[in-house]
């Protein structure tokens, strides 16, 4: 686990909220933690997707999952759930 990656406690809350399904060409949902850490890394450091650290996997695979989750409304649902659980005070930030 790299600096800034999700802790086991954070993952225990967030992991079950992410899509578990697997599409025809999709990677297994078991990669969700590594992919989410990659997404958060890109957002945290502000680097281009192509410069994402290799420990998170192929940048394009992480980006495709990020885009798919955005299109499916996963981020809005995730953040709303965190607000409902009292773990965040304003999901719009």
């Amino acid at each position: 686990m790299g600096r800034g990656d999700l802790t086991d406690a954070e993952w225990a809350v967030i992991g079950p909220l992410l899509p578990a399904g697997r599409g025809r060409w999709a990677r297994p949902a078991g990669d969700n933690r590594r992919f989410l850490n990659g997404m958060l890394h890109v957002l945290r450091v502000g680097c281009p997707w192509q410069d994402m650290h290799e420990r998170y996997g192929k940048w394009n695979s992480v980006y495709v999952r990020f885009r798919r989750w955005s299109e499916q409304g996963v981020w809005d649902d995730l953040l709303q759930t965190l607000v409902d659980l009292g773990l965040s005070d304003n999901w719009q930030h």
Side-chain angles (χ1 to χ4, degrees):
M1 178 165 51
R3 191 178 98 197
D5 288 350
L6 294 171
T7 65
D8 290 338
E10 291 167 334
W11 179 247
V13 173
I14 294 173
L17 304 175
L18 298 174
R22 176 183 176 148
R24 182 173 179 192
W25 303 109
R27 290 181 154 277
D31 288 343
N32 277 349
R33 184 175 185 172
R34 182 171 56 127
F35 280 26
L36 180 57
N37 280 326
M39 294 171 199
L40 295 173
H41 171 78
V42 168
L43 296 171
R44 183 174 51 252
V45 302
C47 68
W49 287 101
Q50 295 89 337
D51 294 340
M52 180 187 75
H53 197 281
E54 59 195 25
R55 74 174 168 257
Y56 301 117
K58 295 180 181 178
W59 73 266
N60 192 54
S61 297
V62 176
Y63 169 72
V64 167
R65 190 168 295 190
F66 175 82
R67 192 185 70 222
R68 187 172 58 235
W69 286 356
S70 296
E71 292 168 355
Q72 294 172 348
V74 170
W75 297 114
D76 291 335
D77 294 344
L78 172 70
L79 294 172
Q80 184 60 54
T81 301
L82 294 176
V83 169
D84 294 345
L85 292 173
L87 300 174
S88 179
D89 58 351
N90 182 357
W91 69 270
Q92 293 180 0
H93 65 269

